[in-house]
Amino acid sequence: MTGSTPTSFTADDYRSRMERAARAAADAGLAGLLVAPGPDMVWLTGYAPTAITERLTVLVLTPDRPPVLVVPTLEAPDAAKAPGAGSLTLRDWTDGKDPYAATAALLDATGRFGISDNAWAMHLLGLQQTLPGTSYASLTDALPMLRAVKDTVELNLLAAAGEAADATYEEILKVPFAGRRESDVAGDLADLLRRFGHSQVDFTIVASGPNGANPHHEVGDRVIQRGDMVVLDFGGLKDGYGSDTSRTVHVGEPTDEERRVHDIVREAQEAGFRAVRPGVACQDVDRAARAVVNDAGYGEYFIHRTGHGIGVTTHEPPYMIEGEEQPLVPGMCFSVEPGIYLPGRFGVRIEDIVTVTEDGGRRLNDTRREMAVVD
Ligand code: ZN
Ligand code: ZN
Ligand code: ZN
């Protein structure tokens, strides 16, 4: 999942990101970073290979040397066109040569390196075999906040992705639900996301009736009935940045209990949002939302964390979860998405992307959170 390359950033933006990453690695006691194609590489260089193949491509960031992109010779012309290419040296390797030896020549033979979570195991094993004195840490474990604080351009792109998701929600309220399959409504969601500018659709959850009680239910052949609650959760990438929003609608008039459960989730979402401000720990956002659900007696049915970061991917640190003491910093962007899931019956989830401002939080999704009644 490399996504498209955002065109909104300058060569200077990429250079400063690479410098920042190398510094952060040194501060974390690492000898450097090994960045695989994927979100980290897109963010650092703007380079997204058209196809990710078994041939090794790796960005090597070390504190004391300029960045080097090790790349297969046949990919080198494309890599040279990446927006961040001006700030790095390309080192290409030809089929038949050993790419691990070429990479090892750039590394401290006894160092500990951060490596992208999505790097291929065969490449990590190849490097370890070539440099047995090295050791490796997950880049996300070592530098969880590397991409967490967004700059103004990134925030504008995330806001635009959020607006597109909101426009999608407004339109989906107009389509018929009763008598159609979940997969049909999901297809409508995907079409709408693309119509409003998404280049990549990551998920279109339509979880009707009892399926809504499974937060992982994506979409199936179930025919939506009158009387169903329907959890909608959809998002993807627009201009390289993510959207992710949930609303729960009802087909026809809801019962009092359905309204009550929906109100509790809405209040929990509001409480989570109101907890957002600089210096507050991530876990306090989770606690604020969870307290509302607990106090209403539904605590055991809120079975996931309250939120996750978003940026060049739709799920990344920081996580709004018990135990995460990372303080919020202006520019961070993440979801606030409490839910209640009643097994065999129905589920409710309400989700907005929120960004931290100097004095609080700002929602990047802002459609009505009251329960919508659809046909
Ligand atoms: Zn109902
Ligand atoms: Zn979602
Ligand atoms: Zn989410």
Side-chain angles (χ1 to χ4, degrees), residues 89-111:
T89 306
L90 286 186
R91 185 142 322 163
D92 67 307
W93 63 275
T94 314
D95 283 354
K97 296 276 163 40
D98 180 354
Y100 307 116
T103 308
L106 306 165
L107 306 180
D108 166 0
T110 57

Side-chain angles (χ1 to χ4, degrees), residues 239-308:
D239 297 324
Y241 277 77
S243 70
D244 182 6
T245 187
S246 305
R247 293 290 184 268
T248 302
V249 301
H250 193 272
V251 188
E253 274 309 307
T255 64
D256 288 349
E257 184 198 20
E258 287 167 336
R259 275 204 186 283
R260 192 170 62 249
V261 171
H262 192 278
D263 282 348
I264 294 162
V265 175
R266 185 155 60 94
E267 206 188 308
Q269 207 279 341
E270 185 66 31
F273 169 68
R274 279 197 310 259
V276 174
R277 61 184 173 277
V280 163
C282 290
Q283 68 180 359
D284 290 331
V285 176
D286 182 83
R287 286 176 182 176
R290 200 167 299 277
V292 173
V293 179
N294 287 344
D295 291 350
Y298 285 88
E300 66 181 294
Y301 304 111
F302 178 9
I303 52 181
H304 54 71
R305 66 191 176 210
T306 293
H308 56 81

Side-chain angles (χ1 to χ4, degrees), residues 53-66:
T53 71
E54 76 290 352
R55 292 189 177 94
L56 177 71
T57 297
V58 63
L59 173 69
V60 179
L61 295 178
T62 48
D64 41 4
R65 272 180 304 241

Side-chain angles (χ1 to χ4, degrees), residues 135-159:
S135 63
Y136 300 86
S138 142
L139 205 154
T140 296
D141 280 351
L143 301 177
M145 298 303 145
L146 181 60
R147 294 191 267 112
V149 177
K150 274 66 183 179
D151 65 28
T152 309
V153 177
E154 292 184 289
L155 288 173
N156 289 340
L157 289 168
L158 284 160

Side-chain angles (χ1 to χ4, degrees), residues 203 205 232-235 243-246 308 314-315 335 337 349 351:
F203 46 88
I205 295 175
L232 304 170
D233 187 346
F234 46 92
S243 70
D244 182 6
T245 187
S246 305
H308 56 81
T314 46
H315 281 90
S335 67
E337 52 176 307
R349 181 164 63 258
E351 171 180 24

